[in-house]
Amino acid sequence: MTLGTRGDVQPYVALSQELIKNGHSAVICTGESFKGFIEEHGVCFRKAESDLMALLMTKEGKEIMEGGLKNFRAAIKYSKEVINPLFRKSLDDFWESAQGADIIIYHPKVLAAVDMAHALGIICISMPLVPITYPITEFPNIAVSSTWNFGKIFNKLTYKIIEMADISNIKEINDFREKTLGLGKRKSGVFAYKNGDTYIPIIYPVSPALFKDVKSWNDRVFLPGFFYLDTKEEMLDEEVEKFIEKGKKPIVVSFSSMPLKQPEIFKKKLIEALYKTDNRAVILVGTSGMDFKNDDNVLSIKKAPHNLLFKKAMGIIHHGGVGTMAEALRSGVPQIIIPFSVDQPFWANRLYKLGYALKPLYEKTLATSDLISAFKEMQSEKYVKSAKEIKDIVLKENGVKEAVAYIEHIYAR
């Protein structure tokens, strides 16, 4: 059970593929925008009425996303009138999809998943895609700060907000409990970490190599490695292949679904930096707002498979989403992260501290000279070597295989 963008869905598809390979069946319940993507990869799809991607395509959704805090009142109104009712309907969709299941594996955004497992008397496993759930002492909850360290005590206290994650939807959850599950109302936060007296197992589908310093997960959290999707049939377009072959390795730029605040200004700085460092680029414009005229040094396309394109690059510039970051690490190519929001600043700073990415850059303060320096630095022996080192590490891991073994162990136990 998952809700959100493609980044919130793809790891569940990768896990489902491995479960099916191991003789299990898997059903993914999420927004209808991902029906084709899920079924193309051989996984059973069930529709959840709450579809973030569809909402983002509406006029109101775009205005709220682009307006940020300026549209706070509009966002509250939109949540009450549109998002919350859709979420309530989705709870019934999730419940229907869970009938006959042995295990529920859920994204924490599905706020009543544990209620369903409790009602069915089955196991549930939480699978956040970033290390945001279990309280630890080494760094604070990334929703509070992605860069500061408040010390052991206060770091751990910042995770208290996880216990309040369902407070804004407790009305819908209790309506669902009473009308669908036949249970009484409950308080917010009671299922944050436990289902009754049992701790809920947590899987973070990321490489343990990025968290060697963390000792306070206390065996409550399992890090199997990144979940890479089986995409054997994907190919790069002929246009991309030809562009790559006719010159030096390009810098690949991809911000996925992140819109730039000032796309034309960023584009101008990027082109100038490429020209002054004699570099070429493949730019995946996505929804960044940039628009290019292709020439001998720049190829602009809407999208391309990261797993195939990144390894052909001299360097990679991206937004720091966990899926894109995982592919960049697997490519063995130096990377620069320009984070936008959510978990992206956390990954940008963590990879920089570990030596696996250059110092983060930020659109708001970015100068052309910053890009020029970064393009030169990413070709240095230091970053070429560290990129190869982390590539060798993640290639030895098999996240989905380890996760399936862990899930089977939990069930058997």
Side-chain angles (χ1 to χ4, degrees):
M1 301 178 178
T2 185
L3 290 171
T5 64
R6 174 158 171 159
D8 296 301
V9 175
Q10 183 162 315
Y12 284 84
V13 178
L15 178 61
S16 296
Q17 285 184 326
E18 189 67 20
L19 285 164
I20 292 166
K21 284 181 188 176
N22 281 266
H24 307 292
S25 60
V27 174
I28 295 178
C29 187
T30 191
E32 194 166 21
S33 292
F34 299 103
K35 181 178 188 293
F37 171 60
I38 291 167
E39 292 181 342
E40 282 168 14
H41 288 87
V43 182
C44 182
F45 167 82
R46 292 287 182 272
K47 176 185 174 183
E49 199 67 35
S50 185
D51 188 340
L52 177 63
M53 297 307 294
L55 290 174
L56 290 178
M57 295 305 293
T58 64
K59 180 184 175 184
E60 296 87 349
K62 286 180 180 178
E63 286 175 353
I64 289 168
M65 279 297 291
E66 293 170 4
L69 291 175
K70 293 178 184 177
N71 286 339
F72 182 73
R73 287 185 179 179
I76 294 294
K77 184 173 184 287
Y78 191 63
S79 291
K80 286 182 179 179
E81 295 178 358
V82 179
I83 295 175
N84 289 358
L86 287 176
F87 174 74
R88 173 61 186 90
K89 289 179 183 177
S90 292
L91 294 181
D92 287 326
D93 297 330
F94 285 121
W95 173 245
E96 187 177 339
S97 76
Q99 302 310 301
D102 296 301
I103 300 176
I104 292 173
I105 301 171
Y106 68 97
H107 194 300
K109 289 179 184 176
V110 183
L111 298 170
V114 187
D115 300 78
M116 298 180 213
H118 188 78
L120 291 168
I122 63 174
I123 298 163
C124 61
I125 297 174
S126 175
M127 197 171 85
L129 306 181
V130 294
I132 197 171
T133 304
Y134 193 77
I136 59 174
T137 58
E138 286 80 2
F139 56 80
N141 188 311
I142 62 177
V144 175
S145 176
S146 59
T147 55
W148 287 88
N149 190 315
F150 303 115
K152 290 183 177 182
I153 294 172
F154 286 104
N155 281 348
K156 195 168 184 176
L157 284 173
T158 61
Y159 290 86
K160 280 287 182 183
I161 63 171
I162 297 301
E163 296 174 24
M164 299 183 288
D166 60 0
I167 197 166
S168 62
N169 289 105
I170 196 65
K171 178 183 175 183
E172 288 78 22
I173 292 168
N174 280 328
D175 185 72
F176 168 69
R177 283 175 62 87
E178 289 184 314
K179 293 179 181 176
T180 304
L181 303 185
L183 301 173
K185 293 181 179 180
R186 68 164 173 86
K187 292 182 180 179
S188 174
V190 297
F191 286 145
Y193 298 113
K194 286 186 174 183
N195 182 1
D197 295 326
T198 306
Y199 277 100
I200 298 166
I202 300 169
I203 298 174
Y204 292 147
V206 297
S207 173
L210 303 185
F211 296 97
K212 290 179 181 178
D213 59 318
V214 180
K215 309 297 180 186
S216 60
W217 275 321
N218 301 322
D219 297 324
R220 301 288 182 207
V221 175
F222 181 55
L223 277 67
F226 291 115
F227 287 7
Y228 292 110
L229 189 63
D230 185 355
T231 54
K232 291 176 183 176
E233 296 181 5
E234 282 190 323
M235 295 177 64
L236 285 175
D237 289 344
E238 187 178 352
E239 178 187 25
V240 179
E241 292 279 17
K242 285 183 177 179
F243 178 83
I244 292 169
E245 288 169 6
K246 73 178 183 181
K248 64 191 293 188
K249 285 186 175 182
I251 293 170
V252 172
V253 181
S254 175
F255 297 130
S256 296
S257 57
M258 295 290 106
L260 288 159
K261 295 288 185 185
Q262 296 180 306
E264 282 301 313
I265 292 175
F266 179 86
K267 169 188 163 183
K268 184 180 177 182
K269 293 172 183 176
L270 176 62
I271 293 293
E272 187 177 348
L274 289 169
Y275 174 75
K276 288 186 175 179
T277 57
D278 189 29
N279 276 299
R280 307 163 71 227
V282 175
I283 300 163
L284 311 184
V285 294
T287 56
S288 65
M290 292 187 290
D291 184 26
F292 292 84
K293 290 182 179 178
N294 292 338
D295 56 36
D296 290 340
N297 290 320
V298 174
L299 175 66
S300 169
I301 53 177
K302 190 74 175 174
K303 60 181 181 178
H306 286 167
N307 61 313
L308 300 179
L309 181 59
F310 282 0
K311 61 187 178 183
K312 294 178 181 287
M314 181 274 282
I316 303 161
I317 301 175
H318 64 92
H319 61 299
V322 64
T324 306
M325 177 199 69
E327 287 295 353
L329 291 173
R330 184 167 67 156
S331 74
V333 172
Q335 57 184 300
I336 305 166
I337 300 177
I338 302 179
F340 289 71
S341 59
V342 200
D343 59 313
Q344 296 160 19
F346 170 79
W347 293 119
N349 283 280
R350 189 152 192 91
L351 261 60
Y352 171 59
K353 287 176 182 176
L354 292 170
Y356 297 138
L358 278 70
K359 188 175 182 179
L361 300 176
Y362 298 89
E363 183 191 356
K364 188 176 180 180
T365 57
L366 185 70
T368 305
S369 58
D370 295 327
L371 287 173
I372 291 171
S373 298
F375 291 169
K376 292 176 180 177
E377 193 178 5
M378 64 171 31
Q379 297 178 68
S380 69
E381 184 182 352
K382 173 186 174 182
Y383 285 109
V384 171
K385 184 180 177 182
S386 68
K388 185 180 183 304
E389 285 175 357
I390 190 62
K391 172 191 174 182
D392 292 342
I393 291 170
V394 299
L395 285 178
K396 287 176 184 175
E397 298 170 348
N398 191 328
V400 288
K401 186 176 181 179
E402 292 294 325
V404 169
Y406 177 75
I407 291 163
E408 290 175 337
H409 171 72
I410 293 290
Y411 182 77
R413 191 178 65 186

